[in-house]
Amino acid sequence: MPTIKDIAKVCGVSVATVSNIINNKSNVGEETRQRVLDVIEKMDYMPNSVAKNLKTKQTRSIGVIAEDMTVFALPDIIDGITEYCEEEEYQILLTNLRLYKKFQDRYYTDNSYKTIVHKEIRRLQAKQVDGIIYIGAHERLIDVLPEDLNIPVVVAYGYTNNPSIPSIVVADERGANMLAQYLLEKGHRKIGVIAGKKDSVHTQSRLEGFQRALFDHGVLYDPNLVIYGDWNQESGYQFADALLEKGVTAIFCMNDYIAGGVYKRLEEKGYQIGKDIAVTGFDNREMASYEKPGLTTMGIPLHDIGYCAGEQIVTMLEKDFKEPKDSMIYIDCIPFIRESVNDISE
């Protein structure tokens, strides 16, 4: 394998000149720069990253801790992190805690897994990662991170009470508001809601956005039209009848699985979705586009959350990072308008 000295000898320049060109320094003439770059490519020279890292005291590696990669949100978030880190020539060291597999959803409110997290952080620190991105499997308060970490940390799809840790989260409230505004603009005034779990951050934020849309349109919020369930099809199927009995013209479902259950029940009762009644979902799961008719829903920006998390950690490592006034960074949802909403405005 050629060395930097070999490159310098072939080009007839000093080792320092070759080093300056490799490190993209500006004190080299353009003709010399191009000549050296051509020789580097021809000789297939690869810089000694280990030596460079020793000199800069950086490994250019980011530890990524995923709570559970079987949860739907995480693969896209990890892909976003990977994309940004590739662009900036950082490698990631990925670990999967498998918390959902081990504890189901008990760990959402029980911090008994704290020792597992601390052990993994110590393991990554032993590998000299420059920073850590922690990815929640379920967006919520994450208070299991050590207070005395001496490297930057970013939380994706969750948040902490530590203002020095940026948290990248879904703009659920704005997304729900946008979707409810759409239903209201189509003339719907009596809108039923099938929510997720009552104590979920997603449920609370989406309900706030829904309520704000009603207020903006002068429609009185009726808590009797809101039913709390779970995030599954059974909730949609089970609670659709109760809302139909109250005369709703639209059903606002807090995720696409709930909407799938509503679809099934409405079809059994002979309703034509998008003609007799409107249905919306949330998340833009793959199934949303396959439903008949296609489900109007709000896509959550999982890839963008990961990309932003990567951007934040690299900024903290390489630039003059100042602790933000608000450590919460909200990433906007993306509307997918399909055929499941009828217009009754006329």
Side-chain angles (χ1 to χ4, degrees):
M1 180 180 293
T3 66
I4 193 170
K5 291 182 180 179
D6 297 329
I7 301 295
K9 184 176 181 180
V10 171
C11 296
V13 298
S14 68
V15 170
T17 297
V18 177
S19 178
N20 287 339
I21 292 169
I22 291 171
N23 290 292
N24 203 28
K25 294 184 178 179
S26 58
N27 56 340
V28 180
E30 188 56 38
E31 182 180 344
T32 301
R33 179 185 301 277
Q34 193 57 54
R35 179 158 50 89
V36 171
L37 290 175
D38 289 343
V39 171
I40 286 173
E41 183 177 1
K42 184 177 180 180
M43 296 181 68
D44 196 23
Y45 169 72
M46 181 66 65
N48 188 336
S49 59
V50 174
K52 182 178 179 181
N53 291 339
L54 287 172
K55 185 177 179 180
T56 62
K57 297 182 180 180
Q58 280 191 321
T59 61
R60 296 193 72 82
S61 61
I62 305 297
V64 177
I65 301 175
E67 287 191 336
D68 198 307
M69 288 176 59
T70 64
V71 178
F72 90 99
L74 270 74
D76 281 346
I77 294 175
I78 293 169
D79 184 57
I81 294 170
T82 303
E83 180 177 344
Y84 187 84
C85 288
E86 280 183 358
E87 291 172 2
E88 298 298 318
E89 297 184 347
Y90 276 79
Q91 64 173 332
I92 66 169
L93 303 181
L94 174 63
T95 186
N96 179 23
L97 300 181
R98 302 181 66 250
L99 295 183
Y100 188 79
K101 286 286 188 179
K102 294 173 182 176
F103 307 111
Q104 295 299 298
D105 57 5
R106 296 194 306 277
Y107 76 93
Y108 294 167
T109 54
D110 177 3
N111 289 343
S112 59
Y113 68 98
K114 188 173 184 176
T115 55
I116 298 174
V117 174
H118 286 210
K119 180 179 179 181
E120 187 55 41
I121 288 174
R122 289 195 299 271
R123 190 180 72 84
L124 288 170
Q125 287 182 301
K127 294 184 178 181
Q128 297 184 313
V129 297
D130 298 325
I132 290 174
I133 299 175
Y134 186 93
I135 312 173
H138 176 75
E139 197 169 283
R140 68 196 193 284
L141 174 64
I142 294 171
D143 56 359
V144 295
L145 300 174
E147 294 288 337
D148 56 349
L149 279 175
N150 59 357
I151 58 174
V153 179
V154 171
V155 170
Y157 210 54
Y159 56 94
T160 75
N161 287 324
N162 188 338
S164 66
I165 298 179
S167 301
I168 322 299
V169 295
V170 178
D172 270 316
E173 183 180 345
R174 288 200 294 265
N177 179 265
M178 191 185 306
L179 200 55
Q181 294 269 9
Y182 179 71
L183 286 171
L184 290 159
E185 288 164 4
K186 294 297 182 181
H188 296 278
R189 293 296 182 269
K190 198 165 187 179
I191 305 170
V193 177
I194 302 180
K197 293 184 177 181
K198 195 169 187 177
D199 60 353
S200 165
V201 171
H202 295 295
T203 297
Q204 295 164 4
S205 297
R206 291 172 190 179
L207 188 58
E208 287 175 15
F210 175 80
Q211 290 172 320
R212 185 160 54 86
L214 295 181
F215 179 83
D216 290 343
H217 280 75
V219 178
L220 186 65
Y221 170 68
D222 184 353
N224 293 315
L225 297 182
V226 178
I227 301 176
Y228 295 93
D230 206 332
W231 300 105
N232 52 35
Q233 287 193 359
E234 288 77 12
S235 290
Y237 185 88
Q238 178 182 351
F239 298 128
D241 282 4
L243 292 176
L244 293 174
E245 289 169 4
K246 294 176 181 180
V248 300
T249 65
I251 300 178
F252 181 103
C253 302
M254 285 205 182
N255 79 354
D256 296 339
Y257 283 142
I258 294 172
V262 170
Y263 263 56
K264 184 177 180 181
R265 184 56 182 154
L266 292 180
E267 288 165 2
E268 287 178 355
K269 294 180 72 69
Y271 283 82
Q272 287 187 285
I273 297 167
K275 293 184 179 180
D276 302 325
I277 190 168
V279 178
T280 62
F282 216 102
D283 292 349
N284 194 41
R285 298 288 189 99
E286 188 176 1
M287 57 174 283
S289 62
Y290 296 154
E291 293 282 11
K292 298 296 181 184
L295 177 64
T296 293
T297 186
M298 191 64 65
I300 58 177
L302 299 172
H303 179 276
D304 293 347
I305 287 172
Y307 192 91
C308 182
E311 187 175 32
Q312 285 295 307
I313 198 75
V314 171
T315 298
M316 293 170 77
L317 289 168
E318 295 191 350
K319 301 176 183 177
D320 294 330
F321 180 78
K322 295 180 180 179
E323 188 175 296
K325 292 181 181 179
D326 187 354
S327 60
M328 300 282 283
I329 300 172
Y330 294 92
I331 308 298
D332 281 326
C333 301
I334 305 162
F336 288 83
I337 305 302
R338 300 191 177 99
E339 301 81 35
S340 65
V341 175
N342 53 326
D343 190 337
I344 59 172
S345 59
E346 296 180 0

